[in-house]
Amino acid sequence: MSDSLSKIIRTTADVMFLFITVFGFYIVLHGHLTPGGGFQGGAVIATGFILLIVAYKLEDFLGWFQKKTFQSCEMSGLILFIGTALAAIPLGYLFFMNFLNGTGGLFGQAVPFGINSGFLNTAGTIPIMNIAVGIEVLGGLSIIILYMTSGIRSHEEGE
């Protein structure tokens, strides 16, 4: 990766980064209602970061985001996923039991009988799992791309 691209491409990448990340978060948060979910949304969000790597120099990107940031994302997504799965055990449920479904609150409204009256937060732990997977995939794919671009750069400098 030599120099950064033109100012027009960098400005377009900055604008598109916003739309790509918002769309990725939409996919993650609505994964229990529509096609998509944590993996697909995390991959879309990681694509926004990849766009910034392509539009700017790798050193500029690493000045904004460090590799440890993405490693922390990957680790926290894994901890949230496993922690949510283990939270059902003290309640007497099985591992990965959807213990929030029908309990009220943010994720556990009971599904009304008959025609859907507009309640969207009836999935229990599934949105939490989607968020955890999205965070983990965002961190994992970004780390993979950072290591690949670092390897390409070191290979180009060696020749």
Side-chain angles (χ1 to χ4, degrees), residues 16 18 20 25-26 32 55 72-73 82 89-90 108 114 123 137 141 143:
M16 290 304 296
L18 175 67
I20 289 171
F25 284 120
Y26 172 82
H32 63 288
S72 298
C73 274
I82 293 172
I89 293 175
V137 169
L141 287 180
I143 284 293

Side-chain angles (χ1 to χ4, degrees), residues 9-105:
I9 293 176
R10 289 181 304 200
T11 304
T12 304
D14 290 341
V15 171
M16 290 304 296
F17 174 74
L18 175 67
F19 287 108
I20 289 171
T21 53
V22 167
F23 183 61
F25 284 120
Y26 172 82
I27 293 173
V28 169
L29 294 175
H30 290 85
H32 63 288
L33 300 170
T34 60
F39 185 86
Q40 294 84 349
V44 169
I45 297 168
T47 304
F49 287 104
I50 293 167
L51 178 65
L52 291 181
I53 293 172
V54 170
Y56 291 90
K57 289 190 273 186
L58 181 62
E59 292 83 17
D60 291 341
F61 182 82
L62 291 176
W64 303 323
F65 304 101
Q66 297 179 355
K67 289 180 183 177
K68 288 198 179 277
T69 304
F70 295 111
Q71 289 172 344
S72 298
C73 274
E74 187 175 18
M75 184 177 59
S76 62
L78 226 57
I79 289 171
L80 179 63
F81 188 85
I82 293 172
T84 305
L86 289 174
I89 293 175
L91 299 172
Y93 297 115
L94 299 174
F95 189 73
F96 279 119
M97 180 69 180
N98 195 356
F99 62 93
L100 291 176
N101 193 18
T103 59

